[in-house]
Amino acid sequence: MAALQLSGFDWQMQANKYAHHTDKYYINELTTRRGQPFYLKLSFNRPIASGERLTFTASTGPNPSESARTKAVIPLSTGSSGGSWSAVLSSNNSDGSVTVAISSPANAPIGRYTLSIQIASEGGSTSTTLGTWVLLFNPWLQADGVFMMNNAEREEYVEEDAGVIFVGSANRISMVGWNYGQYEEDILNISLIILDRSLNFRRDPVTDVARRNDPKYVGRVLSGMINGNDDNGVLSGNWSGDYTGGKDPRNWNGSVEILKEWKKNRFQPVRFGQCWVFAGTLNTVLRCLGIPSRVITNFNSAHDTDRNLTIDVYYDALGNPLDRGSDSIWNFHVWNEAWFVRIDLDSQYNGWQVLDATPQERSQGVFQCGPASVIAVRQGDVNLDFDMPFVFSEVNADQITWIINSDNSKKQTSSKTSSVGRFISTKAVGSNSRMDVTDKYKYAEGSKEEREVFKKALQKLKPSSGAFGSTAAGPENAEVKPPSISGKFKVNGTLEVGKEVNVSLQLKNLSDDWKTVSVNMTAWTIVYNGTLVHEVWKDSITASLDPQEEMEYPLKLTYAQYENFLTADNMIRITAVCQVTDEAEVVVERDVILDNPAITLELLDQARVKTPVNVQVLFANPLDEPVNNCVLTVEGSGLMRGNLKIKVPSLRPKERSNFKFEITPLRSGTKQLLIDFSCSKFPAIKAFLSVDVTE
């Protein structure tokens, strides 16, 4: 009898990908999910005789071993051995071929595996490598730590490849579209390369690959690798307002271009990212590997560098905000939540976990953050892993305002307990509505529970300080007398780039005495995280107020004053320091956000798979001057391969223009088309459109 030889092999790509929910990945390699069988067809030169044994070997990473669970030797059997690797004969076909079902454990390391087969008979044995396949996390499987029961949520948080991210400020929330594009060509491959270029892999590849069975470990490694700070990771952060030598972070439409550029540039960090760019990119990689994830925006987000749960904010007596101390409050900050079981903690902490790839503070020597259980944040359990004090303070810190006098002495003017951590937002399941998740992070502001949790957290962080942290007794922290006046800024009319900004300062005398108030005011253009860019206006007034009198002082900024100093954030910080003789100053502050001119997107026909369709873009230059260097960037997973860059002719003052471009949709369903229009006067005007593509 001739020796048994393998004459043909079929990964049965289509059926397996469909069964494993990986049919959307644009990859020529079989992609499966752990804990679930996939079926291979093997053809031989003759039927298998009794006494001939088939054994499969699956291995991943360098120096794979059975002890590290990165290698499995799997004899062909007739029944499965639940929970471990198995190869089960599923059918003996009439043409001499056999179908074999291969299953991995629900906690196998994820990654690229090599599969080989060994044929053993009395005459010896032969071994053949069948090829490689990719194993991912499995949110459809109850035994997997990333299991998500709700079908609509799983569709949103694993399968959805586009979304919206909330930005702006607490009094003006807006959104930008983002193309996650986890199925696009090479994105799965790049996601695996990210793991292989991490510091952990470089130090100890064998242990690193073995630990990829744990979503907690993979999430933490990715939070460090999406920023380029320690490890030549994906993105380089820049909050200076000057993005020479890279791309303004506001110009990105999604993660695909960023990930591809990182690979193309031989893994040098892509320039530049800010928080939503880091979060959008981390979201792509998490979903790509099968970990359910979503993007979260926290308005008035605290960056507490000294773990005392208070943020100190400084001004000089002239009304200038000061870059002093390392604490800050960002207008908004964006991070991710990933969904998985915390085997290292009590089961009550399972579910959503904060991961933050924006490089803010080192954790275990590396710029990485999380996973921090959202439930633990709400309960003030800041002693648990990972980075809990930092995340807790982002949503809970108290804000203390100080005035620095000319002799460098400082005095406290106010303390606020409810200004940080507002309107914590994420995209709703199945729509672009804003879902508020603030109550998942903390009890209602001002409630008894909220203050109790704050005290509990403070006690865990500083057992020696009692429950008062930095407001412990001391001359600087003496009780502040309530002020006799109050003030606020009111916006009048619309706020648009190119137009005058009209605001009025409203002052009120709260006392029964006559008061004289001297007011120093400034306006600075800023980056969204509070970085000061340039002073654009200042003024001083003295006002006399009768008992209980209210007065309004109008102020205006002309376009000429701010046009050369506005960043793509379109943010101006207006401050007034109000001084009544022998009383503590009152600081009034307002960040205003100016609207870009509208740009509209319109589909000129029904979108069909593989049929070109025209898209029209309408834009009017609102300025009394021309705009030059206009570029339109277009992106949309499932609607086009890669992205389009279109140079648009300069626009004369007040000119209206429309331009067209063509896309050829690749997949049916609802897809998102995103554009970014940038020119000399408007660095980043965004728009997106939902497109229903039919077969």
Side-chain angles (χ1 to χ4, degrees):
M1 194 162 62
L4 183 66
Q5 281 176 337
L6 187 69
S7 60
F9 169 69
D10 181 3
W11 285 106
Q12 306 208 89
M13 203 84 82
Q14 234 176 328
N16 281 323
K17 281 186 163 183
Y18 189 76
H20 285 253
H21 307 276
T22 61
D23 46 311
K24 291 182 187 158
Y25 287 89
Y26 190 79
I27 187 173
N28 295 327
E29 200 172 5
L30 178 62
T31 306
T32 68
R33 297 189 186 273
R34 58 188 195 171
Q36 184 179 333
F38 60 95
Y39 294 85
L40 306 173
K41 191 172 168 187
L42 301 140
S43 309
F44 297 96
N45 57 338
R46 60 172 175 76
I48 302 165
S50 64
E52 290 175 322
R53 291 185 313 283
L54 300 186
T55 306
F56 294 89
T57 303
S59 63
T60 184
N63 308 322
S65 70
E66 288 179 89
S67 60
R69 297 178 59 245
T70 51
K71 176 182 174 184
V73 177
I74 318 158
L76 183 65
S77 65
T78 48
S80 86
S81 49
S84 53
W85 285 92
S86 64
V88 178
L89 187 65
S90 108
S91 67
N92 253 318
N93 310 323
S94 54
D95 60 358
S97 68
V98 297
T99 304
V100 175
I102 295 205
S103 293
S104 62
N107 62 350
I110 58 116
R112 182 170 274 112
Y113 279 75
T114 300
L115 187 67
S116 58
I117 183 173
Q118 193 180 31
I119 302 171
S121 58
E122 282 147 23
S125 75
T126 59
S127 189
T128 310
T129 298
L130 300 173
T132 62
W133 93 99
V134 176
L135 187 67
L136 302 177
F137 291 103
N138 193 348
W140 281 263
L141 182 73
Q142 193 161 0
D144 195 315
V146 300
F147 172 63
M148 195 165 236
M149 197 164 62
N150 181 307
N151 191 39
E153 291 185 359
R154 198 174 50 226
E155 233 169 74
E156 178 72 52
Y157 300 136
V158 182
E159 297 187 274
E160 187 54 69
D161 62 357
V164 295
I165 299 176
F166 295 93
V167 297
S169 67
N171 51 23
R172 201 115 192 273
I173 296 174
S174 58
M175 62 181 170
V176 293
W178 194 263
N179 181 30
Y180 298 119
Q182 65 267 35
Y183 306 121
E184 297 301 293
E185 190 174 10
D186 216 24
I187 296 303
L188 175 54
N189 194 34
I190 294 169
S191 298
L192 295 173
I193 291 173
I194 290 174
L195 293 175
D196 283 350
R197 297 194 69 85
S198 74
L199 293 175
N200 291 14
F201 182 85
R202 286 186 237 168
R203 285 183 198 127
D204 182 353
V206 174
T207 306
D208 174 73
V209 171
R211 293 186 69 186
R212 293 181 191 176
N213 66 324
D214 182 357
K216 164 176 98 278
Y217 177 78
V218 172
R220 185 158 173 80
V221 166
L222 290 174
S223 81
M225 275 301 293
I226 296 300
N227 68 69
N229 285 43
D230 314 280
D231 41 32
N232 272 356
V234 177
L235 275 157
S236 178
N238 180 343
W239 286 266
S240 68
D242 176 6
Y243 309 112
T244 318
K247 196 166 183 160
D248 186 321
R250 295 257 173 188
N251 289 138
W252 300 110
N253 285 321
S255 318
V256 177
E257 199 189 339
I258 293 167
L259 292 164
K260 287 183 170 177
E261 194 173 309
W262 180 66
K263 183 185 171 193
K264 196 178 96 192
N265 290 347
R266 301 208 176 126
F267 313 110
Q268 289 306 304
V270 175
R271 299 192 288 197
F272 290 106
Q274 287 171 353
C275 65
W276 69 95
V277 184
F278 291 104
T281 306
L282 177 54
N283 213 53
T284 296
V285 178
L286 290 166
R287 287 185 186 178
C288 187
L289 297 177
I291 300 175
S293 63
R294 61 188 187 183
V295 173
I296 301 285
T297 304
N298 177 37
F299 291 94
N300 292 354
S301 190
H303 180 167
D304 177 20
T305 52
D306 45 15
R307 293 174 59 127
N308 64 352
L309 300 189
T310 56
I311 302 292
D312 298 308
V313 181
Y314 298 96
Y315 298 87
D316 67 17
L318 297 175
N320 289 299
L322 300 174
D323 277 330
R324 184 173 178 143
S326 46
D327 287 357
S328 56
I329 293 178
W330 296 23
N331 267 292
F332 66 91
H333 179 45
V334 184
W335 59 71
N336 302 76
E337 283 175 3
W339 174 271
F340 48 82
V341 167
R342 286 297 295 267
I343 44 176
D344 58 322
L345 301 176
D346 199 65
S347 63
Q348 65 173 358
Y349 299 112
N350 292 347
W352 290 116
Q353 313 289 324
V354 172
L355 293 168
D356 190 345
T358 298
Q360 295 186 92
E361 293 297 312
R362 282 203 160 85
S363 171
Q364 296 173 323
V366 176
F367 282 98
Q368 58 187 350
C369 180
S373 157
V374 174
I375 289 164
V377 173
R378 189 171 199 255
Q379 301 304 341
D381 296 323
V382 293
N383 50 312
L384 301 176
D385 285 341
F386 292 85
D387 308 306
M388 283 291 302
F390 185 76
V391 177
F392 182 86
S393 72
E394 285 185 303
V395 299
N396 283 304
D398 287 351
Q399 176 181 342
I400 296 184
T401 304
W402 302 86
I403 295 284
I404 304 286
N405 297 316
S406 49
D407 61 359
N408 235 2
S409 64
K410 66 176 186 176
K411 67 173 182 226
Q412 181 181 331
T413 71
S414 72
S415 164
K416 294 182 198 151
T417 59
S418 62
S419 57
V420 161
R422 303 190 52 208
F423 305 111
I424 304 174
S425 307
T426 190
K427 175 191 177 301
V429 172
S431 84
N432 286 341
S433 312
R434 184 181 77 85
M435 180 164 84
D436 195 292
V437 292
T438 311
D439 64 336
K440 300 279 184 279
Y441 280 84
K442 55 186 179 179
Y443 291 96
E445 285 292 358
S447 67
K448 188 165 109 285
E449 296 93 338
E450 186 256 346
R451 281 290 101 184
E452 276 167 6
V453 165
F454 188 85
K455 282 181 183 171
K456 167 182 165 184
L458 208 43
Q459 235 144 8
K460 288 186 174 187
L461 288 175
K462 303 194 129 182
S464 57
S465 72
F468 300 105
S470 76
T471 44
E476 285 180 347
N477 292 314
E479 199 50 43
V480 181
K481 236 175 43 188
S484 63
I485 57 156
S486 70
K488 65 172 191 209
F489 282 116
K490 183 177 130 222
V491 172
N492 304 317
T494 57
L495 295 168
E496 293 171 42
V497 178
K499 301 262 187 352
E500 207 170 72
V501 175
N502 286 294
V503 180
S504 50
L505 173 65
Q506 298 177 320
L507 292 175
K508 181 173 185 185
N509 182 355
L510 305 171
S511 76
D512 295 327
D513 302 313
W514 184 77
K515 296 282 177 191
T516 302
V517 193
S518 54
V519 183
N520 291 322
M521 293 177 283
T522 61
W524 288 71
T525 53
I526 60 167
V527 178
Y528 77 97
N529 70 338
T531 301
L532 302 171
V533 178
H534 206 281
E535 185 184 73
V536 294
W537 175 89
K538 63 176 179 212
D539 196 6
S540 296
I541 59 163
T542 303
S544 302
L545 291 172
D546 289 336
Q548 304 293 334
E549 186 190 353
E550 291 180 46
M551 70 155 281
E552 208 166 285
Y553 179 78
L555 54 111
K556 67 165 189 244
L557 296 174
T558 63
Y559 180 49
Q561 284 171 303
Y562 68 77
E563 74 169 310
N564 295 326
F565 305 113
L566 204 59
T567 66
D569 305 83
N570 289 355
M571 285 188 186
I572 298 175
R573 174 165 292 174
I574 303 173
T575 309
V577 173
C578 311
Q579 170 87 63
V580 174
T581 316
D582 297 334
E583 288 184 24
E585 291 93 337
V586 172
V587 177
V588 185
E589 183 183 86
R590 176 82 184 251
D591 287 350
V592 297
I593 303 179
L594 311 186
D595 284 338
N596 278 322
I599 191 162
T600 48
L601 267 178
E602 223 181 313
L603 210 60
L604 297 180
D605 205 353
Q606 169 61 48
R608 291 189 177 77
V609 173
K610 295 188 177 152
T611 310
V613 59
N614 275 312
V615 181
Q616 178 169 264
V617 181
L618 303 169
F619 177 71
N621 173 12
L623 304 177
D624 293 321
E625 51 190 293
V627 297
N628 313 313
N629 308 332
C630 306
V631 179
L632 186 72
T633 321
V634 188
E635 195 171 316
S637 286
L639 293 172
M640 54 200 296
R641 290 233 178 283
N643 65 353
L644 273 178
K645 256 196 178 60
I646 304 160
K647 280 203 155 54
V648 178
S650 296
L651 294 173
R652 295 187 303 278
K654 304 287 192 208
E655 184 183 355
R656 307 175 81 78
S657 85
N658 71 58
F659 23 96
K660 294 187 184 68
F661 60 87
E662 191 181 82
I663 57 170
T664 305
L666 307 159
R667 291 199 303 267
S668 61
T670 302
K671 306 290 166 213
Q672 191 182 65
L673 183 68
L674 301 109
I675 63 164
D676 174 81
F677 178 70
S678 78
C679 59
S680 55
K681 294 296 174 187
F682 302 102
I685 302 179
K686 319 292 281 185
F688 63 90
L689 181 68
S690 281
V691 178
D692 291 312
V693 182
T694 57
E695 277 302 343

